[in-house]
Amino acid sequence: GFCGRPPAHLLEDVEQGNAQFRDMMTAGAIVAGLACLGMSAVGFITAAMNVPSLTGVWGVIMCLLAVMAAGQAMILTPSLPALKLSVPVILLADENAPAITDSIVVLNNMAMQIGLAFGPIAGGALAYLLSFESTLLAVAALLFAYASAGV
């Protein structure tokens, strides 16, 4: 074992790796948040101008959805390696380290699957109670809060 504190070079490697993942995930949250703001603005503008929802703006919405998807990919893609890298280095000296890491990954995947199941329901309820545009503003605010928290 490490007899207490792990070697300094292991801690430095973990911190450097986490900083790279954190930067990518923060940028992804900002990109996705800006796309949500853009879609919300398009919705508010078309409503104010009394333009039917998709008349002439569907291409803009599709582009913004693609940008939002890219931002979400920037958040999601580095999350698993960051999660694995965040397992306390002291646990990695344990012979059960692979099982510990696997358990943490399983818990993360379970939480993500629960979000995939209930997210659309919550989003639909918010869109019904507020409006689609206001729901996008709320999602953008959550994404910006996530980014400003340093992920």
Short mmCIF file of all heavy atoms in Angstrom, two decimals, residues 1-65:
data_model
loop_
_atom_site.label_atom_id
_atom_site.label_comp_id
_atom_site.label_asym_id
_atom_site.label_seq_id
_atom_site.Cartn_x
_atom_site.Cartn_y
_atom_site.Cartn_z
N GLY A 1 0.82 -1.19 0.00
CA GLY A 1 0.00 0.00 0.00
C GLY A 1 0.86 1.25 0.00
O GLY A 1 2.09 1.19 -0.04
N PHE A 2 0.21 2.39 0.11
CA PHE A 2 0.90 3.67 0.11
C PHE A 2 1.31 4.09 1.51
O PHE A 2 2.00 5.07 1.68
CB PHE A 2 0.00 4.77 -0.48
CG PHE A 2 -0.18 4.65 -1.95
CD1 PHE A 2 -1.45 4.53 -2.48
CD2 PHE A 2 0.89 4.67 -2.82
CE1 PHE A 2 -1.64 4.43 -3.84
CE2 PHE A 2 0.71 4.57 -4.17
CZ PHE A 2 -0.57 4.45 -4.69
N CYS A 3 0.86 3.41 2.53
CA CYS A 3 1.17 3.77 3.92
C CYS A 3 0.75 5.21 4.20
O CYS A 3 1.56 6.04 4.62
CB CYS A 3 2.65 3.57 4.23
SG CYS A 3 3.19 1.88 4.04
N GLY A 4 -0.47 5.52 3.94
CA GLY A 4 -0.96 6.87 4.23
C GLY A 4 -1.22 7.65 2.96
O GLY A 4 -2.20 7.44 2.29
N ARG A 5 -0.30 8.54 2.64
CA ARG A 5 -0.50 9.44 1.50
C ARG A 5 0.15 8.86 0.26
O ARG A 5 1.28 8.39 0.28
CB ARG A 5 0.13 10.78 1.85
CG ARG A 5 -0.12 11.85 0.83
CD ARG A 5 0.14 13.23 1.45
NE ARG A 5 0.19 14.25 0.45
CZ ARG A 5 -0.86 14.79 -0.14
NH1 ARG A 5 -2.05 14.36 0.17
NH2 ARG A 5 -0.73 15.74 -1.03
N PRO A 6 -0.59 8.90 -0.90
CA PRO A 6 0.00 8.39 -2.14
C PRO A 6 1.16 9.27 -2.61
O PRO A 6 1.26 10.43 -2.21
CB PRO A 6 -1.16 8.43 -3.12
CG PRO A 6 -2.20 9.28 -2.51
CD PRO A 6 -1.94 9.36 -1.04
N PRO A 7 2.01 8.73 -3.46
CA PRO A 7 3.13 9.52 -3.99
C PRO A 7 2.64 10.79 -4.69
O PRO A 7 1.60 10.81 -5.33
CB PRO A 7 3.79 8.57 -4.99
CG PRO A 7 3.37 7.20 -4.58
CD PRO A 7 2.01 7.36 -3.96
N ALA A 8 3.41 11.85 -4.56
CA ALA A 8 3.03 13.17 -5.09
C ALA A 8 2.81 13.13 -6.60
O ALA A 8 1.91 13.79 -7.11
CB ALA A 8 4.09 14.20 -4.74
N HIS A 9 3.62 12.35 -7.33
CA HIS A 9 3.46 12.34 -8.79
C HIS A 9 2.10 11.76 -9.19
O HIS A 9 1.53 12.19 -10.19
CB HIS A 9 4.61 11.59 -9.47
CG HIS A 9 4.57 10.11 -9.30
ND1 HIS A 9 5.05 9.49 -8.16
CD2 HIS A 9 4.11 9.14 -10.12
CE1 HIS A 9 4.89 8.18 -8.30
NE2 HIS A 9 4.31 7.94 -9.46
N LEU A 10 1.54 10.83 -8.42
CA LEU A 10 0.21 10.31 -8.74
C LEU A 10 -0.86 11.36 -8.52
O LEU A 10 -1.77 11.51 -9.31
CB LEU A 10 -0.09 9.06 -7.90
CG LEU A 10 0.65 7.79 -8.28
CD1 LEU A 10 0.27 6.65 -7.34
CD2 LEU A 10 0.35 7.39 -9.72
N LEU A 11 -0.73 12.12 -7.43
CA LEU A 11 -1.69 13.18 -7.16
C LEU A 11 -1.64 14.26 -8.23
O LEU A 11 -2.66 14.78 -8.65
CB LEU A 11 -1.45 13.79 -5.78
CG LEU A 11 -1.76 12.90 -4.58
CD1 LEU A 11 -1.35 13.59 -3.29
CD2 LEU A 11 -3.22 12.53 -4.55
N GLU A 12 -0.42 14.61 -8.69
CA GLU A 12 -0.27 15.62 -9.74
C GLU A 12 -0.90 15.13 -11.05
O GLU A 12 -1.56 15.90 -11.75
CB GLU A 12 1.20 15.94 -9.95
CG GLU A 12 1.82 16.72 -8.81
CD GLU A 12 3.33 16.85 -8.93
OE1 GLU A 12 3.88 16.55 -10.01
OE2 GLU A 12 3.95 17.23 -7.93
N ASP A 13 -0.70 13.85 -11.39
CA ASP A 13 -1.29 13.30 -12.62
C ASP A 13 -2.82 13.37 -12.56
O ASP A 13 -3.47 13.72 -13.54
CB ASP A 13 -0.86 11.85 -12.82
CG ASP A 13 0.60 11.71 -13.19
OD1 ASP A 13 1.23 12.74 -13.52
OD2 ASP A 13 1.12 10.57 -13.14
N VAL A 14 -3.39 13.03 -11.41
CA VAL A 14 -4.84 13.06 -11.26
C VAL A 14 -5.35 14.49 -11.40
O VAL A 14 -6.31 14.75 -12.12
CB VAL A 14 -5.25 12.46 -9.89
CG1 VAL A 14 -6.71 12.77 -9.59
CG2 VAL A 14 -5.00 10.97 -9.89
N GLU A 15 -4.70 15.44 -10.74
CA GLU A 15 -5.15 16.84 -10.80
C GLU A 15 -5.02 17.40 -12.21
O GLU A 15 -5.90 18.10 -12.70
CB GLU A 15 -4.37 17.69 -9.81
CG GLU A 15 -4.89 19.10 -9.69
CD GLU A 15 -6.39 19.18 -9.38
OE1 GLU A 15 -6.89 18.40 -8.57
OE2 GLU A 15 -7.05 20.06 -9.96
N GLN A 16 -3.93 17.09 -12.90
CA GLN A 16 -3.75 17.57 -14.27
C GLN A 16 -4.81 16.97 -15.20
O GLN A 16 -5.40 17.68 -16.01
CB GLN A 16 -2.35 17.23 -14.78
CG GLN A 16 -2.08 17.75 -16.18
CD GLN A 16 -0.68 17.38 -16.66
OE1 GLN A 16 0.04 16.65 -16.01
NE2 GLN A 16 -0.31 17.88 -17.82
N GLY A 17 -5.08 15.69 -15.07
CA GLY A 17 -6.09 15.04 -15.89
C GLY A 17 -7.47 15.61 -15.61
O GLY A 17 -8.24 15.87 -16.53
N ASN A 18 -7.79 15.82 -14.34
CA ASN A 18 -9.09 16.38 -13.99
C ASN A 18 -9.25 17.80 -14.52
O ASN A 18 -10.35 18.19 -14.91
CB ASN A 18 -9.31 16.35 -12.48
CG ASN A 18 -9.78 14.99 -12.00
OD1 ASN A 18 -10.33 14.21 -12.76
ND2 ASN A 18 -9.56 14.70 -10.74
N ALA A 19 -8.18 18.58 -14.52
CA ALA A 19 -8.26 19.95 -15.03
C ALA A 19 -8.59 19.94 -16.53
O ALA A 19 -9.41 20.74 -16.99
CB ALA A 19 -6.95 20.69 -14.79
N GLN A 20 -8.00 19.02 -17.28
CA GLN A 20 -8.29 18.94 -18.71
C GLN A 20 -9.74 18.54 -18.95
O GLN A 20 -10.43 19.12 -19.79
CB GLN A 20 -7.36 17.95 -19.39
CG GLN A 20 -5.92 18.43 -19.44
CD GLN A 20 -4.97 17.35 -19.91
OE1 GLN A 20 -5.30 16.18 -19.96
NE2 GLN A 20 -3.75 17.76 -20.26
N PHE A 21 -10.22 17.55 -18.20
CA PHE A 21 -11.62 17.14 -18.35
C PHE A 21 -12.56 18.25 -17.93
O PHE A 21 -13.58 18.50 -18.57
CB PHE A 21 -11.90 15.88 -17.51
CG PHE A 21 -11.20 14.65 -18.01
CD1 PHE A 21 -10.48 13.86 -17.14
CD2 PHE A 21 -11.29 14.27 -19.34
CE1 PHE A 21 -9.85 12.71 -17.59
CE2 PHE A 21 -10.66 13.12 -19.80
CZ PHE A 21 -9.93 12.34 -18.92
N ARG A 22 -12.23 18.93 -16.85
CA ARG A 22 -13.07 20.02 -16.33
C ARG A 22 -13.20 21.14 -17.35
O ARG A 22 -14.28 21.67 -17.57
CB ARG A 22 -12.48 20.53 -15.01
CG ARG A 22 -13.34 21.53 -14.31
CD ARG A 22 -12.82 21.89 -12.91
NE ARG A 22 -11.38 22.09 -12.83
CZ ARG A 22 -10.55 21.25 -12.18
NH1 ARG A 22 -10.99 20.19 -11.58
NH2 ARG A 22 -9.26 21.51 -12.15
N ASP A 23 -12.10 21.49 -18.01
CA ASP A 23 -12.14 22.55 -19.02
C ASP A 23 -13.06 22.18 -20.19
O ASP A 23 -13.84 22.99 -20.66
CB ASP A 23 -10.73 22.85 -19.55
CG ASP A 23 -9.83 23.49 -18.50
OD1 ASP A 23 -10.34 23.93 -17.45
OD2 ASP A 23 -8.61 23.52 -18.74
N MET A 24 -12.97 20.93 -20.65
CA MET A 24 -13.81 20.47 -21.76
C MET A 24 -15.28 20.46 -21.34
O MET A 24 -16.16 20.90 -22.10
CB MET A 24 -13.39 19.07 -22.20
CG MET A 24 -14.28 18.48 -23.27
SD MET A 24 -14.22 19.36 -24.83
CE MET A 24 -12.69 18.76 -25.48
N MET A 25 -15.56 19.99 -20.14
CA MET A 25 -16.95 19.91 -19.68
C MET A 25 -17.54 21.30 -19.45
O MET A 25 -18.70 21.55 -19.75
CB MET A 25 -17.02 19.05 -18.43
CG MET A 25 -16.68 17.58 -18.71
SD MET A 25 -16.39 16.60 -17.24
CE MET A 25 -18.06 16.40 -16.64
N THR A 26 -16.73 22.23 -18.95
CA THR A 26 -17.19 23.61 -18.76
C THR A 26 -17.50 24.26 -20.11
O THR A 26 -18.54 24.90 -20.27
CB THR A 26 -16.13 24.43 -18.00
OG1 THR A 26 -15.91 23.83 -16.72
CG2 THR A 26 -16.55 25.87 -17.82
N ALA A 27 -16.61 24.06 -21.08
CA ALA A 27 -16.85 24.61 -22.42
C ALA A 27 -18.12 24.01 -23.02
O ALA A 27 -18.92 24.72 -23.65
CB ALA A 27 -15.65 24.34 -23.32
N GLY A 28 -18.34 22.73 -22.82
CA GLY A 28 -19.54 22.08 -23.33
C GLY A 28 -20.81 22.64 -22.72
O GLY A 28 -21.81 22.85 -23.42
N ALA A 29 -20.78 22.91 -21.42
CA ALA A 29 -21.95 23.50 -20.75
C ALA A 29 -22.24 24.89 -21.30
O ALA A 29 -23.40 25.26 -21.51
CB ALA A 29 -21.73 23.54 -19.24
N ILE A 30 -21.20 25.65 -21.57
CA ILE A 30 -21.39 27.00 -22.12
C ILE A 30 -21.96 26.92 -23.54
O ILE A 30 -22.89 27.64 -23.88
CB ILE A 30 -20.06 27.79 -22.08
CG1 ILE A 30 -19.67 28.10 -20.62
CG2 ILE A 30 -20.16 29.07 -22.91
CD1 ILE A 30 -18.27 28.62 -20.44
N VAL A 31 -21.42 26.03 -24.37
CA VAL A 31 -21.91 25.87 -25.74
C VAL A 31 -23.37 25.44 -25.73
O VAL A 31 -24.20 26.02 -26.45
CB VAL A 31 -21.03 24.84 -26.51
CG1 VAL A 31 -21.69 24.41 -27.81
CG2 VAL A 31 -19.65 25.42 -26.78
N ALA A 32 -23.72 24.44 -24.92
CA ALA A 32 -25.11 23.97 -24.87
C ALA A 32 -26.03 25.07 -24.32
O ALA A 32 -27.15 25.24 -24.80
CB ALA A 32 -25.21 22.71 -24.01
N GLY A 33 -25.56 25.82 -23.33
CA GLY A 33 -26.36 26.91 -22.77
C GLY A 33 -26.62 28.01 -23.79
O GLY A 33 -27.73 28.53 -23.88
N LEU A 34 -25.60 28.35 -24.58
CA LEU A 34 -25.79 29.36 -25.63
C LEU A 34 -26.78 28.88 -26.70
O LEU A 34 -27.59 29.66 -27.19
CB LEU A 34 -24.45 29.72 -26.26
CG LEU A 34 -23.49 30.53 -25.38
CD1 LEU A 34 -22.12 30.66 -26.04
CD2 LEU A 34 -24.07 31.89 -25.06
N ALA A 35 -26.72 27.59 -27.02
CA ALA A 35 -27.68 27.05 -28.00
C ALA A 35 -29.10 27.13 -27.44
O ALA A 35 -30.03 27.47 -28.18
CB ALA A 35 -27.30 25.61 -28.35
N CYS A 36 -29.27 26.83 -26.15
CA CYS A 36 -30.61 26.94 -25.53
C CYS A 36 -31.09 28.38 -25.57
O CYS A 36 -32.27 28.64 -25.87
CB CYS A 36 -30.57 26.44 -24.09
SG CYS A 36 -30.54 24.66 -23.93
N LEU A 37 -30.20 29.32 -25.27
CA LEU A 37 -30.58 30.73 -25.34
C LEU A 37 -31.00 31.11 -26.76
O LEU A 37 -31.98 31.84 -26.96
CB LEU A 37 -29.42 31.62 -24.89
CG LEU A 37 -29.16 31.73 -23.40
CD1 LEU A 37 -27.95 32.63 -23.14
CD2 LEU A 37 -30.38 32.26 -22.67
N GLY A 38 -30.25 30.62 -27.74
CA GLY A 38 -30.58 30.92 -29.13
C GLY A 38 -31.93 30.37 -29.54
O GLY A 38 -32.74 31.06 -30.17
N MET A 39 -32.22 29.11 -29.15
CA MET A 39 -33.53 28.53 -29.49
C MET A 39 -34.66 29.27 -28.78
O MET A 39 -35.72 29.49 -29.36
CB MET A 39 -33.55 27.05 -29.14
CG MET A 39 -32.78 26.19 -30.11
SD MET A 39 -32.96 24.42 -29.81
CE MET A 39 -31.93 24.21 -28.36
N SER A 40 -34.41 29.67 -27.55
CA SER A 40 -35.42 30.43 -26.81
C SER A 40 -35.67 31.77 -27.49
O SER A 40 -36.83 32.18 -27.66
CB SER A 40 -34.96 30.64 -25.37
OG SER A 40 -35.91 31.37 -24.65
N ALA A 41 -34.61 32.43 -27.90
CA ALA A 41 -34.75 33.73 -28.59
C ALA A 41 -35.54 33.57 -29.89
O ALA A 41 -36.41 34.38 -30.19
CB ALA A 41 -33.38 34.33 -28.87
N VAL A 42 -35.22 32.53 -30.65
CA VAL A 42 -35.97 32.29 -31.90
C VAL A 42 -37.44 32.10 -31.60
O VAL A 42 -38.32 32.64 -32.28
CB VAL A 42 -35.39 31.07 -32.67
CG1 VAL A 42 -36.31 30.62 -33.78
CG2 VAL A 42 -34.00 31.40 -33.21
N GLY A 43 -37.75 31.34 -30.55
CA GLY A 43 -39.14 31.11 -30.17
C GLY A 43 -39.86 32.39 -29.76
O GLY A 43 -40.99 32.65 -30.19
N PHE A 44 -39.19 33.19 -28.93
CA PHE A 44 -39.80 34.45 -28.49
C PHE A 44 -39.99 35.42 -29.67
O PHE A 44 -41.01 36.09 -29.77
CB PHE A 44 -38.96 35.13 -27.40
CG PHE A 44 -39.14 34.51 -26.04
CD1 PHE A 44 -38.04 34.07 -25.32
CD2 PHE A 44 -40.40 34.38 -25.46
CE1 PHE A 44 -38.20 33.51 -24.06
CE2 PHE A 44 -40.57 33.83 -24.21
CZ PHE A 44 -39.46 33.40 -23.50
N ILE A 45 -39.01 35.49 -30.57
CA ILE A 45 -39.09 36.41 -31.71
C ILE A 45 -40.20 35.99 -32.67
O ILE A 45 -41.00 36.81 -33.11
CB ILE A 45 -37.73 36.50 -32.44
CG1 ILE A 45 -36.72 37.24 -31.56
CG2 ILE A 45 -37.88 37.18 -33.80
CD1 ILE A 45 -35.29 37.14 -32.04
N THR A 46 -40.27 34.68 -32.97
CA THR A 46 -41.33 34.23 -33.89
C THR A 46 -42.71 34.43 -33.27
O THR A 46 -43.65 34.76 -33.98
CB THR A 46 -41.15 32.75 -34.30
OG1 THR A 46 -41.09 31.95 -33.12
CG2 THR A 46 -39.90 32.57 -35.13
N ALA A 47 -42.82 34.28 -31.94
CA ALA A 47 -44.11 34.51 -31.28
C ALA A 47 -44.47 35.99 -31.32
O ALA A 47 -45.62 36.36 -31.58
CB ALA A 47 -44.06 34.01 -29.85
N ALA A 48 -43.48 36.86 -31.09
CA ALA A 48 -43.73 38.30 -31.09
C ALA A 48 -44.10 38.80 -32.48
O ALA A 48 -44.90 39.72 -32.62
CB ALA A 48 -42.51 39.05 -30.57
N MET A 49 -43.51 38.19 -33.50
CA MET A 49 -43.79 38.61 -34.89
C MET A 49 -45.00 37.88 -35.46
O MET A 49 -45.34 38.06 -36.62
CB MET A 49 -42.55 38.36 -35.76
CG MET A 49 -41.36 39.22 -35.37
SD MET A 49 -39.88 38.83 -36.31
CE MET A 49 -40.40 39.14 -37.97
N ASN A 50 -45.60 37.02 -34.64
CA ASN A 50 -46.78 36.27 -35.06
C ASN A 50 -46.50 35.39 -36.28
O ASN A 50 -47.31 35.27 -37.17
CB ASN A 50 -47.96 37.22 -35.33
CG ASN A 50 -49.27 36.56 -34.99
OD1 ASN A 50 -49.30 35.51 -34.35
ND2 ASN A 50 -50.36 37.18 -35.40
N VAL A 51 -45.30 34.80 -36.27
CA VAL A 51 -44.88 33.90 -37.35
C VAL A 51 -45.18 32.48 -36.90
O VAL A 51 -44.87 32.13 -35.76
CB VAL A 51 -43.36 34.05 -37.62
CG1 VAL A 51 -42.87 33.05 -38.64
CG2 VAL A 51 -43.04 35.47 -38.05
N PRO A 52 -45.78 31.65 -37.74
CA PRO A 52 -45.98 30.26 -37.34
C PRO A 52 -44.66 29.63 -36.93
O PRO A 52 -43.61 29.92 -37.51
CB PRO A 52 -46.56 29.60 -38.59
CG PRO A 52 -47.14 30.72 -39.38
CD PRO A 52 -46.31 31.94 -39.06
N SER A 53 -44.71 28.76 -35.93
CA SER A 53 -43.52 28.22 -35.28
C SER A 53 -42.37 27.83 -36.19
O SER A 53 -41.25 28.19 -35.93
CB SER A 53 -43.82 27.00 -34.43
OG SER A 53 -45.08 26.99 -33.93
N LEU A 54 -42.61 27.03 -37.20
CA LEU A 54 -41.51 26.50 -37.98
C LEU A 54 -41.36 27.15 -39.35
O LEU A 54 -40.49 26.77 -40.11
CB LEU A 54 -41.65 24.99 -38.13
CG LEU A 54 -41.53 24.21 -36.82
CD1 LEU A 54 -41.75 22.74 -37.05
CD2 LEU A 54 -40.17 24.44 -36.18
N THR A 55 -42.20 28.10 -39.67
CA THR A 55 -42.12 28.74 -40.98
C THR A 55 -40.85 29.55 -41.11
O THR A 55 -40.66 30.55 -40.42
CB THR A 55 -43.33 29.66 -41.22
OG1 THR A 55 -44.51 28.91 -41.04
CG2 THR A 55 -43.31 30.26 -42.61
N GLY A 56 -39.94 29.11 -41.95
CA GLY A 56 -38.73 29.88 -42.24
C GLY A 56 -37.64 29.83 -41.18
O GLY A 56 -36.56 30.35 -41.41
N VAL A 57 -37.90 29.24 -40.04
CA VAL A 57 -36.86 29.21 -38.99
C VAL A 57 -36.42 27.79 -38.65
O VAL A 57 -35.59 27.61 -37.77
CB VAL A 57 -37.32 29.93 -37.70
CG1 VAL A 57 -37.56 31.41 -37.95
CG2 VAL A 57 -38.54 29.28 -37.11
N TRP A 58 -36.97 26.81 -39.34
CA TRP A 58 -36.62 25.43 -38.99
C TRP A 58 -35.13 25.16 -39.17
O TRP A 58 -34.54 24.42 -38.40
CB TRP A 58 -37.46 24.42 -39.77
CG TRP A 58 -37.14 24.39 -41.25
CD1 TRP A 58 -37.72 25.13 -42.22
CD2 TRP A 58 -36.16 23.57 -41.88
NE1 TRP A 58 -37.15 24.84 -43.44
CE2 TRP A 58 -36.19 23.88 -43.27
CE3 TRP A 58 -35.26 22.63 -41.44
CZ2 TRP A 58 -35.35 23.27 -44.19
CZ3 TRP A 58 -34.41 22.02 -42.36
CH2 TRP A 58 -34.47 22.34 -43.72
N GLY A 59 -34.52 25.77 -40.17
CA GLY A 59 -33.09 25.57 -40.39
C GLY A 59 -32.26 26.13 -39.25
O GLY A 59 -31.27 25.52 -38.82
N VAL A 60 -32.67 27.28 -38.73
CA VAL A 60 -31.97 27.88 -37.59
C VAL A 60 -32.09 26.99 -36.37
O VAL A 60 -31.11 26.72 -35.66
CB VAL A 60 -32.53 29.30 -37.29
CG1 VAL A 60 -31.92 29.88 -36.02
CG2 VAL A 60 -32.30 30.21 -38.47
N ILE A 61 -33.30 26.49 -36.12
CA ILE A 61 -33.53 25.60 -34.97
C ILE A 61 -32.69 24.33 -35.11
O ILE A 61 -32.09 23.87 -34.13
CB ILE A 61 -35.03 25.26 -34.83
CG1 ILE A 61 -35.84 26.50 -34.48
CG2 ILE A 61 -35.25 24.16 -33.80
CD1 ILE A 61 -35.59 27.06 -33.11
N MET A 62 -32.65 23.74 -36.30
CA MET A 62 -31.87 22.52 -36.52
C MET A 62 -30.38 22.77 -36.27
O MET A 62 -29.70 21.94 -35.66
CB MET A 62 -32.09 21.98 -37.93
CG MET A 62 -33.51 21.53 -38.20
SD MET A 62 -34.10 20.30 -37.03
CE MET A 62 -33.31 18.86 -37.66
N CYS A 63 -29.87 23.91 -36.72
CA CYS A 63 -28.46 24.25 -36.46
C CYS A 63 -28.20 24.41 -34.97
O CYS A 63 -27.19 23.93 -34.45
CB CYS A 63 -28.07 25.51 -37.21
SG CYS A 63 -27.95 25.28 -39.00
N LEU A 64 -29.12 25.09 -34.29
CA LEU A 64 -28.96 25.28 -32.84
C LEU A 64 -29.06 23.96 -32.08
O LEU A 64 -28.35 23.75 -31.10
CB LEU A 64 -29.97 26.29 -32.32
CG LEU A 64 -29.72 27.73 -32.74
CD1 LEU A 64 -30.91 28.62 -32.41
CD2 LEU A 64 -28.45 28.27 -32.08
N LEU A 65 -29.92 23.06 -32.54
CA LEU A 65 -29.99 21.73 -31.93
C LEU A 65 -28.68 20.97 -32.12
O LEU A 65 -28.22 20.27 -31.21
CB LEU A 65 -31.16 20.93 -32.50
CG LEU A 65 -32.54 21.29 -31.97
CD1 LEU A 65 -33.62 20.58 -32.78
CD2 LEU A 65 -32.66 20.95 -30.50
#
